[in-house]
Amino acid sequence: MTFLCFLIIIIIITSAIKSDICDGARILGIFPLNSKSHFTLGEQIMKILAKTGHQIDVVSHYPQKKPVSNYRDLSLHGSMIDKTNNLDYNRLQFLSPISIVPEISNNTGSNICKLIQHPILQNIIKNPPKNPPYDLVIVEIFTAHCYFAFAHHLKVPMIGLISSVVQEWENEALGNPDSFAFIPGGFTGLNVGGKMNFYQRLLNTLMGNLIKRQFYHYTDHQKIFIDQYFGPNYPSIRNLSTQFALVFVNSHFSLHGIRPLTPSVIEIGGVHIQENGEKLSPDLQKWLDDSKYGCIYMSFGSMVNIETFPNETLNAFYTAFENIAPVRILLKIGNEKLLSKLPNNVKTHSWLPQIQILKHKNVKVFVTHGGLLGTLESIYYKVPMIGFPLFGDQFYNMKVCEDREIAISLDYHKFTANDFLEALNVVLKNNNYRNNIEEFSKLYYDRPMSSQESVIFWVNYVLRHGNILRSPAVDLAWYQVELLDVYGFLLLNAIFLIYISFLIIRTFYILIYHTKRFDKIKILSKK
C-alpha cells in the first residue's frame, strides 16, 4: 500500500513537471530557405520560445544535432543543395543593386516555393495536428512569400522574421512609410550617412521604387504555387503579405538610424547572440591563447568561397598578412586544399565558431563581408571591423559602421595590399576604433529589456490578443496612403474655384466695359 501511494505521488509530480514544461502554445516555425545564415535568427528565436514552455515544430534544412527540449525538427535536409560555401567570385559580379532582385527572387523565392510539395509540408497542409492544434505560425519574410499561406490555411496568427533591416519591398505590406527622403534603400547601393542631397534623394526614390516594383512582380507570380498546393480560393500574395500580427526585425535604431515603424514592428537586433556553452577546439584555443601580439579574424560568411577570388586579390591579402606579422590571422575558407603560399602567421579552417572566436581577448580586428549577423556579433564583443562588402545590404551595414568610426570599408574590386595593410594598422594601433566600438556596444544593447525578453513578451502578447497591431494603412491603396486622392480632389476644387472666380471676374469686367462703352456712345450720339 505504501509503495502504491508512493507511485501515485511520483506520477502526479511527473505530470506536474511535464505540464509546467510544455504548458504553452503549439507554434509552427517555417524556414524553408537553404541558407544557414538566414536560418540562424529563426533557430535562436524558436529555441528561446521552447525554453519558455511552448511546444515548437520547426521546418528547416538544419535539424538540431542534439535534442532540444520542446523543440521538434520537421527536417527538409537533403531536399535542396546547401548554400554553404557555394558562392564564388564570378557570381558576385552579377549581383548589382538592380540585377540582384531577379536573381534572389528566383533562387530564394520561386525555387523555394516548389518545396511546398515536400511530404512534410504536404502533411501539415492535409493533416494538420489537432491534439493540440497549432496556435501560431512564425515564418521568415524575405522572398518566398508563398509560405504566408500556411497561417491562412491553419487559421492562426502569423509572426514574421526579417533577418536584416526592413527592406524597400517590405514596408508597404507592414504599413510603414518608405521615407526615401532620409533612409537609403538597403538594396539601392547608396552608401550615404546623414542628410542626403537632392541628387541622392532623387536616385534613392527612383531606385527604391524600381526595386519595390521588381519584387512585387516576381513575388506576385508565386500565387501559382498557392493555387497548386493549397487551392485556388486563397488570397493574393500581396494580401497575404499584409496579414502579419507582428514582425521581428534584426535591427536597432542606434545602428540603422531612426525609422518610422508601426507598433507591430519590433526591433530585436542581436537576439541570436546567446551563450550556449560551446567551447573552442583545443588547437584553436591554443592558437588564440598564443597570439600574444593579437589576432585578426577574417571571414566572408557561410556562403562565399574566398579562394575563388582572383590571384591578384588573394596576393594582396597575403602580402598584407605577411607584413602585419607577428600579429596572427585566423582565416575562414571554403576548402583548405585550394589555398597555397600562405604566410606563416596565417591559420585556415573551413568552419569556425565565430562567436567564440570574437569573444577571445586576443582577437583585435574582424575582417568581414559586412553580413548583419557578424556585424552585430562584432559590436557585442567590441571588436572593430574592416569590411569588404560584396552584395545586398552589406554595403549599407558597413557604411553605417564606418560613419560611427567602428569600421573601415574597402572596395574588394580594387583595393591594394597597401590599402589593406594601412587599414589593419589603423584599426590595430588607433585606440579610437576600439574605444568607439566599446561605447557603441553599450549604446546598442542598452534597452528596457533584452532582445530575448522582447521576443518572449511579444509572442505571448500575440497569443493572448491575436492580430490587433496590424496597421490600417495596409488596407489602403498606395495612392490613398499618400493622400494623392485627397490632394487631387483639393487641387481640382481649387482649380474649379479659380475657374469660377475667373468667369465671374470676366463677366463683371465685360459688363463694366460694355456699360462704360454704351455710356460713351450715348454721350457721343447726343453731341
Side-chain angles (χ1 to χ4, degrees), residues 129-164:
K130 295 181 175 61
N131 188 27
Y134 288 120
D135 301 294
L136 180 69
V137 167
I138 299 180
V139 62
E140 182 183 16
I141 304 176
F142 191 46
T143 58
H145 293 185
C146 54
Y147 286 87
F148 303 164
F150 276 89
H152 182 86
H153 178 75
L154 297 170
K155 297 180 175 57
V156 296
M158 176 170 57
I159 289 178
L161 303 182
I162 299 177
S163 58
S164 63

Side-chain angles (χ1 to χ4, degrees), residues 111-130:
N111 283 347
I112 302 301
C113 287
K114 295 174 185 176
L115 267 180
I116 299 179
Q117 66 184 323
H118 193 283
I120 283 179
L121 292 166
Q122 282 297 300
N123 189 54
I124 294 172
I125 294 171
K126 296 175 181 177
N127 302 296
K130 295 181 175 61

Side-chain angles (χ1 to χ4, degrees), residues 29-82:
I30 305 179
F31 308 100
L33 184 57
N34 53 331
S35 170
K36 180 62 176 174
S37 59
H38 274 261
F39 177 59
T40 296
L41 184 68
E43 177 185 26
Q44 295 304 323
I45 285 177
M46 302 311 282
K47 285 182 177 179
I48 290 169
L49 296 175
K51 286 180 182 178
T52 63
H54 295 300
Q55 185 177 344
I56 305 299
D57 292 346
V58 179
V59 177
S60 80
H61 298 269
Y62 305 96
Q64 299 300 304
K65 295 178 180 178
K66 296 180 180 178
V68 176
S69 180
N70 298 338
Y71 184 112
R72 183 168 74 108
D73 280 303
L74 302 177
S75 177
L76 303 175
H77 181 70
S79 59
M80 297 188 77
I81 297 174
D82 190 353

Side-chain angles (χ1 to χ4, degrees), residues 15 41 87 143 158 193 198 347 373 386 421 446 497 499 510:
S15 299
L41 184 68
L87 190 57
T143 58
M158 176 170 57
F198 173 78
K347 185 178 182 66
L373 296 181
I386 295 175
L421 181 61
D446 186 6
L497 289 174
Y499 179 68
I510 291 172

Side-chain angles (χ1 to χ4, degrees), residues 63-343:
Q64 299 300 304
K65 295 178 180 178
K66 296 180 180 178
V68 176
S69 180
N70 298 338
Y71 184 112
R72 183 168 74 108
D73 280 303
L74 302 177
S75 177
L76 303 175
H77 181 70
S79 59
M80 297 188 77
I81 297 174
D82 190 353
K83 289 186 178 293
T84 302
N85 295 325
N86 75 326
L87 190 57
D88 61 28
Y89 182 86
N90 290 330
R91 291 297 306 146
L92 291 174
Q93 309 316 301
F94 294 97
L95 300 181
S96 69
I98 300 300
S99 65
I100 194 175
V101 176
E103 173 79 15
I104 66 174
S105 295
N106 181 53
N107 289 334
T108 67
S110 298
N111 283 347
I112 302 301
C113 287
K114 295 174 185 176
L115 267 180
I116 299 179
Q117 66 184 323
H118 193 283
I120 283 179
L121 292 166
Q122 282 297 300
N123 189 54
I124 294 172
I125 294 171
K126 296 175 181 177
N127 302 296
K130 295 181 175 61
N131 188 27
Y134 288 120
D135 301 294
L136 180 69
V137 167
I138 299 180
V139 62
E140 182 183 16
I141 304 176
F142 191 46
T143 58
H145 293 185
C146 54
Y147 286 87
F148 303 164
F150 276 89
H152 182 86
H153 178 75
L154 297 170
K155 297 180 175 57
V156 296
M158 176 170 57
I159 289 178
L161 303 182
I162 299 177
S163 58
S164 63
V165 295
V166 179
Q167 300 292 355
E168 297 94 312
W169 64 92
E170 296 161 340
N171 272 318
E172 189 173 318
L174 302 179
N176 301 323
D178 285 313
S179 306
F180 288 124
F182 62 94
I183 298 176
F187 273 44
T188 61
L190 281 173
N191 312 317
V192 295
K195 187 175 179 179
M196 288 187 279
N197 60 36
F198 173 78
Y199 172 74
Q200 290 166 335
R201 284 184 284 115
L202 174 64
L203 189 59
N204 194 41
T205 302
L206 293 176
M207 292 186 66
N209 278 292
L210 174 61
I211 289 171
K212 275 175 55 178
R213 301 305 157 190
Q214 281 185 304
F215 267 102
Y216 293 162
H217 170 72
Y218 289 107
T219 54
D220 284 349
H221 285 198
Q222 294 172 11
K223 181 64 162 64
I224 62 174
F225 299 103
I226 294 176
D227 293 342
Q228 180 178 355
Y229 299 121
F230 289 91
N233 298 319
Y234 277 67
S236 67
I237 292 290
R238 296 288 292 277
N239 184 275
L240 289 171
S241 301
T242 68
Q243 301 305 312
F244 286 95
L246 192 77
V247 174
F248 290 122
V249 185
N250 194 30
S251 64
H252 191 258
F253 61 84
S254 62
L255 178 64
H256 293 112
I258 305 301
R259 293 166 177 258
L261 303 174
T262 70
S264 67
V265 179
I266 309 298
E267 294 191 298
I268 56 164
V271 70
H272 71 287
I273 305 172
Q274 300 180 44
E275 297 294 341
N276 57 10
E278 185 177 357
K279 302 292 184 182
L280 291 169
S281 62
D283 66 316
L284 276 177
Q285 186 70 52
K286 186 175 188 315
W287 170 269
L288 291 172
D289 289 344
D290 292 345
S291 301
K292 59 182 179 179
Y293 295 101
C295 180
I296 297 163
Y297 170 54
M298 181 171 175
S299 171
F300 283 176
S302 62
M303 295 175 62
V304 177
N305 272 334
I306 191 173
E307 58 268 31
T308 65
F309 281 44
N311 287 334
E312 180 182 359
T313 304
L314 293 177
N315 287 333
F317 286 134
Y318 300 166
T319 301
F321 292 158
E322 191 170 17
N323 282 281
I324 205 70
V327 176
R328 288 178 164 183
I329 292 86
L330 187 57
L331 176 62
K332 184 266 176 190
I333 60 173
N335 187 339
E336 294 185 56
K337 296 179 181 177
L338 298 181
L339 281 176
S340 60
K341 300 180 182 178
L342 282 169

